[in-house]
Amino acid sequence: MLSKNHSENCFGFCHDCDRVHSLPTGNAIELAQELLRDFEKFKRLDFINDESQADPQFGFDQLFPGDRGHMFGILECENESGEQKILRAFSSLAGGIRKVPGWVSSMLDPKIFAEQVFPGQQKIKAMTAEMNGHGRETSAGAAIFEERKQFSQNLMREIHDFYEFTNFRGETRPLRDIFLKPDSIPGGVGECCAPKLLNHAAKNGLKPLGLAEFYWGGPNSSGRKQPGEFFSCCEDKCQPILGFMLCGVD
Ligand SMILES: [Zn+2]
Ligand SMILES: [Zn+2]
């Protein structure tokens, strides 16, 4: 849930300044509501393109079949001339979709994702299927379980090495140097909307004014996320990097 105190929506502790940096929601909630109206109207992610140019893989019926849903984010910024710029992002999508017209791309280089990350993820899926086929209790199943654990730990370390973050003082650092607890970095750091949006803004000379993240689609399986509901930046993956990322903003 979004904090009642909207100034605490997006924040993190910065080691360099020895204090918390934060970003309010600003106008981002209203902008997100406009975006939701576009979702209802167009029912596809590439709505900046004409209907005739629409790519079927970006249709909501393809991306979110059944009652699946997803996290989206909006960042209101201004450029050096004081003009408003609006950035949109989605959290990582299934099927390896990394780039959609009108949206901030994933932080990871698409080539690295395609050549190194995606095949690794597919291998883990295959190992899981194989393990379940044998049954976890059998010796073959247990052996695959161990093998999968090693493989996924190594893959995660490799993936972490690909991520670099830029802040609003123009500094760029690798994930391992900025995560507050570098020994316990969870999977998927940098794949949420907030880091994608802030990194893009920082690298393009845009000053962030407000950020909002919301869920859209069917109610999620645990029922904890309702379509159109706003959420604060997540505690496990984003807060530990937001102190560095927001440095220079406030
Ligand atoms: Zn997050
Ligand atoms: Zn700082």
Side-chain angles (χ1 to χ4, degrees):
M1 276 290 271
L2 189 65
S3 161
K4 285 214 170 55
N5 179 354
H6 283 187
S7 66
E8 288 172 14
N9 168 51
C10 177
F11 66 93
F13 182 79
C14 173
H15 266 308
D16 295 353
C17 305
D18 200 22
R19 71 176 182 93
V20 168
H21 297 303
S22 65
L23 187 66
T25 47
N27 296 318
I29 292 202
E30 278 164 48
L31 292 165
Q33 272 149 359
E34 274 173 43
L35 179 61
L36 281 165
R37 284 192 284 276
D38 284 335
F39 279 7
E40 300 287 350
K41 189 170 157 196
F42 298 102
K43 298 185 172 30
R44 55 187 171 91
L45 274 190
D46 58 346
F47 58 81
I48 63 156
N49 284 348
D50 277 355
E51 188 82 50
S52 60
Q53 315 236 303
D55 185 333
Q57 68 169 329
F58 301 142
F60 290 153
D61 52 346
Q62 282 292 313
L63 288 174
F64 316 122
D67 52 1
R68 294 248 289 274
H70 214 73
M71 286 298 291
F72 297 89
I74 284 251
L75 184 67
E76 184 199 18
C77 308
E78 63 180 19
N79 67 10
E80 279 130 21
S81 339
E83 289 162 337
Q84 186 197 47
K85 295 279 166 195
I86 297 162
L87 303 178
R88 296 179 283 258
F90 46 80
S91 61
S92 61
L93 287 169
I97 291 176
R98 312 291 288 172
K99 205 171 164 51
V100 180
W103 296 79
V104 167
S105 298
S106 297
M107 294 181 55
L108 208 58
D109 185 312
K111 196 167 147 42
I112 290 178
F113 182 82
E115 288 172 6
Q116 314 208 32
V117 180
F118 192 62
Q121 290 174 339
Q122 296 305 106
K123 190 176 170 191
I124 290 174
K125 265 192 197 162
M127 287 167 106
T128 305
E130 201 188 342
M131 181 180 79
N132 293 338
H134 288 289
R136 271 272 307 269
E137 316 314 321
T138 65
S139 60
I144 298 167
F145 176 79
E146 276 309 313
E147 197 192 329
R148 186 188 67 161
K149 197 168 129 193
Q150 272 306 317
F151 181 82
S152 77
Q153 280 172 355
N154 291 341
L155 179 67
M156 194 126 105
R157 257 193 298 275
E158 282 171 32
I159 293 174
H160 289 159
D161 288 338
F162 294 132
Y163 279 86
E164 276 189 343
F165 298 79
T166 300
N167 72 11
F168 295 91
R169 290 198 306 189
E171 285 175 62
T172 300
R173 290 185 201 166
L175 174 58
R176 224 178 288 282
D177 291 354
I178 64 166
F179 202 84
L180 289 184
K181 290 183 198 150
D183 296 330
S184 50
I185 305 176
V189 177
E191 292 295 329
C192 287
C193 301
K196 282 180 193 168
L197 292 166
L198 292 169
N199 199 60
H200 185 89
K203 288 172 94 167
N204 289 278
L206 300 171
K207 179 182 190 278
L209 302 173
L211 182 139
E213 285 187 316
F214 64 92
Y215 179 83
W216 190 83
N220 80 331
S221 48
S222 65
R224 283 178 53 217
K225 287 179 181 163
Q226 294 297 321
E229 191 178 348
F230 288 89
F231 290 87
S232 302
C233 295
C234 72
E235 209 178 316
D236 55 335
K237 291 182 277 196
C238 291
Q239 269 178 29
I241 57 172
L242 284 171
F244 171 80
M245 294 202 79
L246 291 170
C247 194
V249 158
D250 53 357

